[in-house]
Amino acid sequence: MMKIMKGQQKKPNTSKHKFGYEVPPQGRYDIAKLLDMKAGDSKWADSIKMEIENLWTWDTFEEFDPKNAPDLDEYQFVNLMMCFDCKFDGRHKSRLVANGARTADLDASIYSGVVSIRAVRLLLFLAQLNGLEVCAADVSQAYLYSDCMEKIYTKAGPEFGPEWEGKYLRIRKALYGLKSSAAAYHMHLSKVLYKLGFIPSRADSDLWIKDCDSHYEYIATWVDDLLIASK
């Protein structure tokens, strides 16, 4: 029993190495700064800056004053943390994530549907049978296309820079980590596919079909990943 409990203990909050680079622990902005100083470069700082600039570009936040919010009791506060990763080509990646686990549970579904393996095989078979080209793609900054379904606010940390650090911000977009974000994005993607003339198949609601008169075209969706069979 002691061995089992020891195996379930959380790993120490220390850096790890990936593709030859030291990666900070999740949420440790301070260690990311120290690693830049140690390496004599600004790779983590640059990736953090790029992430924050992208979020502002997508109008993810707006300044929020809790003292002047008459409906403050309807809002929930969440902490944000910067998560770090390193890609195989050496790119340093940072992503700001909300701690949605601390917010109240929702009555509605919080999941984004994913296509089944059987439906993917069917798509590939039909593409081969009908001479369709197959293309795989993903949607960049996917969740930020949709609006936040919850009333959430946060407090900007040092990663926002001295201009915004310490200020309260309302979260306007479906930020990664919030309970409703996956469902909000799935709803937005479905609306876009309907506008493009696609309808969900009866076999799998995440395998979308479009009647192009002479042939059918298909899009399989797996959260923000797409598999497209088209002329």
Side-chain angles (χ1 to χ4, degrees):
M1 180 62 73
M2 290 300 295
K3 289 182 179 180
I4 294 174
M5 293 178 64
K6 186 175 292 185
Q8 292 177 340
Q9 289 178 354
K10 293 183 179 180
K11 294 181 180 179
N13 193 18
T14 56
S15 302
K16 63 180 181 180
H17 287 80
K18 193 172 181 181
F19 301 113
Y21 293 95
E22 195 170 355
V23 180
Q26 310 300 3
R28 295 303 303 270
Y29 171 79
D30 55 336
I31 293 182
K33 290 177 62 178
L34 291 175
L35 292 180
D36 275 350
M37 293 176 60
K38 180 179 175 181
D41 56 35
S42 60
K43 290 184 177 181
W44 290 117
D46 293 341
S47 70
I48 293 170
K49 181 181 178 182
M50 180 181 296
E51 170 69 358
I52 296 299
E53 288 178 349
N54 284 337
L55 292 173
W56 283 120
T57 300
W58 284 90
D59 293 325
T60 307
F61 306 106
E62 67 177 3
E63 194 166 357
F64 179 80
D65 185 0
K67 295 180 180 179
N68 295 324
D71 56 345
L72 183 61
D73 57 334
E74 299 178 14
Y75 277 81
Q76 299 179 84
F77 179 85
V78 296
N79 293 315
L80 303 179
M81 70 174 182
M82 193 67 73
C83 295
F84 306 98
D85 194 15
C86 186
K87 300 298 183 180
F88 68 93
D89 57 0
R91 284 179 297 143
H92 289 42
K93 299 287 290 184
S94 299
R95 170 160 286 173
L96 194 66
V97 176
N99 187 6
R102 294 185 176 274
T103 60
D105 292 335
L106 302 175
D107 295 331
S109 172
I110 62 174
Y111 299 104
S112 174
V114 295
V115 69
S116 66
I117 297 300
R118 179 177 295 181
V120 170
R121 290 171 178 163
L122 181 62
L123 179 149
L124 296 174
F125 168 75
L126 292 170
Q128 179 68 23
L129 188 65
N130 295 284
L132 304 178
E133 293 189 24
V134 177
C135 174
D138 73 322
V139 182
S140 178
Q141 302 288 345
Y143 282 13
L144 301 184
Y145 280 94
S146 49
D147 295 328
C148 182
M149 297 169 62
E150 306 168 71
K151 288 189 174 182
I152 302 287
Y153 74 104
T154 188
K155 187 176 183 180
E159 61 272 10
F160 280 82
E163 179 184 357
W164 287 98
E165 183 179 3
K167 293 185 178 181
Y168 289 96
L169 304 171
R170 184 171 78 90
I171 299 176
R172 299 182 64 253
K173 295 292 184 177
L175 192 66
Y176 288 93
L178 295 176
K179 287 180 177 175
S180 63
S181 292
Y185 167 71
H186 189 264
M187 189 183 305
H188 175 80
L189 177 62
S190 298
K191 290 179 180 178
V192 171
L193 291 176
Y194 273 118
K195 287 182 180 179
L196 293 174
F198 288 85
I199 60 172
S201 70
R202 294 182 180 180
D204 189 320
S205 59
D206 291 293
L207 177 61
W208 295 74
I209 302 175
K210 182 178 181 180
D211 187 349
C212 298
D213 295 330
S214 62
H215 65 283
Y216 288 93
E217 297 191 345
Y218 309 89
I219 298 179
T221 63
W222 185 292
V223 191
D224 60 346
D225 292 312
L226 308 175
L227 187 65
I228 305 160
S230 171
K231 288 283 186 180

